[in-house]
Amino acid sequence: MTILTRRNALVGGAGLMLAGCDRIVASPTVRKVLTLGEKATMSAQRLVTDRNALAPEFTRADLSPSFRVNGTRAPGSADYQRHAAENFANWRLAVGGMVAHPLSLSHAQLRAMPARSQITRHDCVEGWSAIGEWTGVPLALVLRHAGLSANARYVVFHCADDYAGKPYYESIDMVDAFHPQTILAHTMNRQPLSVGHGAPLRLRVERQLGYKQAKYVMRIEAVASLAGIHGGGGGYWEDHRGYQWYAGI
Ligand SMILES: Nc1nc2c(c(=O)[nH]1)N[C@H]1C(S)=C(S)[C@@H](COP(=O)(O)O)O[C@H]1N2
Ligand SMILES: [Mo]
């Protein structure tokens, strides 16, 4: 699915306008005004829309022929292995914490919810990237269903795996939680998500680096503070390896 992004729309609009005004732009006074206007727009955009801007989207022709599996390849817990053997028929996503109506959603329920598809580039800090097509439920929709409290400030994703003996988890703030490209993906490249890539459900938070893209999401928790959760850093890499909590790209 190709969509016209807000960024493209803005750039396209400005381009068209300038193309039609070449002769007027030649006047020094007009050029000065235009330059000032451009600066003002740029800083306003940075203040108001930067974190809401969409990550670039690609076409199916751009899909990487192979998408590396990184980190955990298959969670080792007996619980997870049973769910995988049952093709996740009895698996449930728990949504709790600061919500009015805690949810327990089956794989089938999640797959039946309105979905968004996006072809994006995944960038890992280890120095590789890959383009994939992700389909899943907008996180905003799940949070609204659950009746997210106005006092919640972060969304925490608890995963099924331990990495180097410690539970994998990640967290994002409400700007990213309600970003249109933030989805709970159940489908990758139009196939059910494989175990390697995070079956049955993983986070795609497209404005951030690879380590924020939590695989094997089992439980989502809305919180006012990250202080009481594991090491308090908001994620596995943040707690144990000193990575930045905000890994914006
Ligand atoms: N639960 C869980 N999520 C995870 C990881 C992990 O080990 N466990 N690794 C992270 C890292 S560093 C990257 S680059 C991506 C890798 O996703 P992929 O295996 O689909 O390429 O998942 C991220 N999410
Ligand atoms: Mo990564």
Side-chain angles (χ1 to χ4, degrees), residues 70-71 122-128 168 209-213 237 243:
N70 207 38
H122 174 107
D123 294 311
C124 173
V125 284
E126 290 164 20
W128 59 273
Y168 201 101
L209 288 170
Y211 64 90
K212 302 294 287 189
Q213 321 295 326
W237 297 98
Y243 283 23

Side-chain angles (χ1 to χ4, degrees), residues 67-72 122 128 161 168 197 202 210 213 215:
F67 197 118
R68 186 157 145 180
V69 168
N70 207 38
T72 300
H122 174 107
W128 59 273
D161 57 319
Y168 201 101
H197 290 296
R202 84 171 304 164
Q213 321 295 326
K215 307 196 278 190

Side-chain angles (χ1 to χ4, degrees), residues 17 41 66 69 78 85 89-90 98 107 123 144 148-149 154 168 185 189 200 204 206 220 223 230 234:
M17 190 198 74
T41 312
S66 76
V69 168
N90 298 305
M98 296 175 72
H107 197 206
D123 294 311
R144 285 202 190 98
L148 181 71
S149 158
Y154 304 98
Y168 201 101
N189 295 341
R204 290 302 309 175
E206 303 291 357
I220 294 178
V223 298
H230 297 294

Side-chain angles (χ1 to χ4, degrees), residues 87-92 105-113 137 186 200:
N87 214 7
F88 303 103
N90 298 305
W91 170 94
R92 289 272 186 292
L105 300 168
S106 70
H107 197 206
Q109 281 173 317
L110 284 160
R111 293 180 72 90
M113 285 173 76
V137 186
H186 47 63

Side-chain angles (χ1 to χ4, degrees), residues 61-203:
D62 304 313
L63 289 172
S64 298
S66 76
F67 197 118
R68 186 157 145 180
V69 168
N70 207 38
T72 300
R73 311 184 74 82
S77 78
D79 246 18
Y80 181 86
Q81 286 174 5
R82 180 174 46 81
H83 284 311
E86 295 167 350
N87 214 7
F88 303 103
N90 298 305
W91 170 94
R92 289 272 186 292
L93 171 73
V95 183
M98 296 175 72
V99 298
H101 324 288
L103 304 174
S104 169
L105 300 168
S106 70
H107 197 206
Q109 281 173 317
L110 284 160
R111 293 180 72 90
M113 285 173 76
R116 185 188 201 283
S117 287
Q118 57 208 28
I119 299 175
T120 53
R121 196 186 63 218
H122 174 107
D123 294 311
C124 173
V125 284
E126 290 164 20
W128 59 273
S129 297
I131 294 178
E133 178 171 352
W134 304 98
T135 305
V137 186
L139 178 62
L141 204 68
V142 172
L143 295 176
R144 285 202 190 98
H145 272 309
L148 181 71
S149 158
N151 297 323
R153 291 187 54 209
Y154 304 98
V155 181
V156 182
F157 303 87
H158 297 279
C159 304
D161 57 319
D162 283 353
Y163 193 74
K166 305 274 200 272
Y168 201 101
Y169 79 105
E170 259 306 337
S171 61
I172 57 177
D173 67 8
M174 293 304 166
V175 177
D176 272 327
F178 284 89
H179 187 285
Q181 288 170 320
T182 299
I183 62 174
L184 296 169
H186 47 63
T187 299
M188 179 191 184
N189 295 341
R190 293 185 280 167
Q191 301 293 322
L193 196 59
S194 65
V195 167
H197 290 296
L201 198 70
R202 84 171 304 164
L203 175 66

